[in-house]
């Protein structure tokens, strides 16, 4: 249980790097689909090399099918979540869009409670509500103009919820749980690549013609290795083993709320202590609620 909580907090903190890449890459003229094509191809290659060395999954066909389908679909929906969130942020209020999308953690939370009998203690419910309110307050704290892209933002919200639920699914099945994080990561990478290809299906020949030129761009490799390093650390060592640990302890539903709260905390602490940004009362309230959410979910 302790390892699972610690792992989820560390994975959430690592999302700040992903957020930096997703925000910085377009400013340096690097397209997100192209970046994800390179990074996920690299991740898939590494997984296919290291997976057989570690060993093939020793489980039933049912277990392999659960992992394969859930992780490929999780990666596919995760791609669309990133793609639509990026579009919404380019046209609307970043804080509001980001808070809507991140609220997708309610899907895996209630999936665990409704379908897999994860206990909903009073403390856990209060912590969940505190986490949800903190996300809303962080969005409100951004202020600014109203968004005209709520449809895109809510589409990304649903993609987030579906992707996170599918990612968490194998942890609830003993025959799927024994499939290692390396093979699960391979499935997620395949899903991302399918998302890229589906996104570019009308211009696939043109897209593939741009790959050699993109491969010669050092900025692509800078962001690719940053993403791959993050994914190796988070997926291989923490994400899937951590979710399995929580599920064994009967607390699988708290995995994604913990990660989102941790991500919010790290982003805000960076803004306070490194960027020296001034905080308004609503931001301090959001930060306090976020701390309460992490503490309550960990102790509940």
């Amino acid at each position: 249980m302790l390892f699972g909580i610690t792992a989820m907090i560390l994975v959430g903190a690592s999302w700040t790097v992903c957020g930096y890449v997703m925000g910085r890459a377009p400013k340096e003229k690097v397209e997100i689909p192209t970046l994800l094509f390179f990074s996920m191809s690299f991740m898939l290659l590494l997984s296919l090399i290291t997976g057989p060395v570690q060993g093939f999954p020793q489980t039933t066909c049912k277990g392999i099918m659960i992992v394969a389908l859930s992780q490929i679909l999780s990666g596919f929906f995760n791609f669309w979540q990133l793609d639509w969130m990026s579009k919404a942020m380019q046209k609307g209020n970043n804080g509001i869009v980001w808070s809507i999308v991140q609220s997708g953690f309610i899907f895996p939370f209630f999936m665990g409670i409704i379908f897999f009998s994860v206990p909903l203690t009073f403390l856990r419910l209060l912590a969940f509500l505190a986490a949800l309110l903190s996300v809303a307050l962080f969005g409100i704290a951004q202020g600014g103009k109203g968004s005209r892209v709520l449809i895109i933002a809510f589409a990304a919200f649903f993609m987030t919820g579906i992707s996170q639920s599918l990612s968490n699914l194998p942890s609830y099945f003993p025959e799927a749980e024994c499939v290692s994080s390396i093979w699960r990561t391979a499935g997620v990478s395949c899903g991302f690549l399918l998302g890229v290809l589906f996104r570019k299906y009308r211009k696939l020949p043109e897209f593939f013609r741009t790959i050699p030129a993109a491969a010669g761009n050092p900025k692509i490799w800078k962001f690719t290795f940053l993403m791959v390093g993050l994914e190796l650390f988070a997926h291989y060592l923490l994400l899937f083993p951590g979710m399995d640990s929580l599920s064994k302890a009967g607390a699988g539903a708290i995995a994604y709320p913990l990660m989102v709260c941790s991500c919010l905390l790290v982003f805000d602490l960076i803004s306070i202590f490194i960027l020296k940004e001034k905080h308004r009362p609503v931001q301090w309230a959001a930060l306090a609620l976020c701390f309460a959410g992490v503490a309550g979910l960990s102790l509940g």
Side-chain angles (χ1 to χ4, degrees), residues 167-249:
S167 176
N168 207 2
L169 196 61
S171 298
Y172 291 108
F173 294 92
E175 61 267 50
E177 181 190 340
C178 62
V179 177
S180 75
S181 56
I182 294 176
W183 292 111
R184 295 193 213 181
T185 301
V188 172
S189 301
C190 285
F192 262 100
L193 291 173
L194 286 174
V196 172
L197 297 178
F198 194 82
R199 171 78 165 75
K200 296 287 188 179
Y201 80 96
R202 291 182 179 178
K203 298 180 179 179
L204 269 182
E206 181 181 336
F207 173 70
F208 282 116
R209 282 196 294 268
T210 66
I211 296 300
N217 183 356
K219 294 178 181 178
I220 281 280
W221 293 109
K222 176 182 72 173
F223 291 123
T224 293
F225 286 124
L226 198 56
M227 289 283 288
V228 168
L230 169 71
E231 296 298 323
L232 281 173
F233 172 73
H235 282 74
Y236 278 17
L237 303 178
L238 298 173
L239 178 62
F240 298 119
M243 287 194 293
D244 291 345
S245 174
L246 290 175
S247 293
K248 286 179 181 177

Side-chain angles (χ1 to χ4, degrees), residues 11-32:
V11 171
S14 75
W15 285 355
T16 57
V17 179
C18 182
Y20 165 78
V21 171
M22 291 296 108
R24 186 66 188 173
K27 294 179 181 178
E28 297 193 19
K29 310 300 181 184
V30 174
E31 285 192 354
I32 296 300

Side-chain angles (χ1 to χ4, degrees), residues 62 66 70 107-120 124 164-177 243 246-254:
K62 177 184 175 182
I66 290 173
S70 65
F107 283 70
F109 182 80
F110 284 109
M111 179 188 77
I113 292 166
I114 295 171
F115 297 106
F116 298 102
S117 302
V118 175
L120 181 59
R124 195 170 285 171
Q164 291 180 357
S165 299
L166 288 166
S167 176
N168 207 2
L169 196 61
S171 298
Y172 291 108
F173 294 92
E175 61 267 50
E177 181 190 340
M243 287 194 293
L246 290 175
S247 293
K248 286 179 181 177
I254 72 171

Side-chain angles (χ1 to χ4, degrees), residues 46-84:
L46 286 176
S47 297
L48 293 178
I49 292 173
T50 57
V53 173
Q54 183 195 54
F56 292 98
Q58 300 297 313
T59 186
T60 63
C61 290
K62 177 184 175 182
I64 293 173
M65 288 300 296
I66 290 173
V67 172
L69 290 175
S70 65
Q71 299 313 291
I72 290 173
L73 288 173
S74 174
F76 181 80
F77 286 116
N78 201 351
F79 167 81
W80 288 104
Q81 176 252 318
L82 291 174
D83 187 62
W84 288 346

Side-chain angles (χ1 to χ4, degrees), residues 12 39 50 81 101 117 133 138 142 203 220 248 263 284:
S39 60
T50 57
Q81 176 252 318
V101 174
S117 302
L133 183 56
F138 274 119
Q142 298 295 321
K203 298 180 179 179
I220 281 280
K248 286 179 181 177
C263 180
W284 288 114

Side-chain angles (χ1 to χ4, degrees), residues 34 38 45 49 51 54-55 66 69 103-104 108 117 135 154 157 159 177 207-208 236 250 257 259-260 293:
T34 304
F38 273 85
L45 179 62
I49 292 173
Q54 183 195 54
I66 290 173
L69 290 175
S103 299
S117 302
V135 172
F154 275 105
F157 158 79
M159 294 299 101
E177 181 190 340
F207 173 70
F208 282 116
Y236 278 17
M259 285 187 273
V260 171

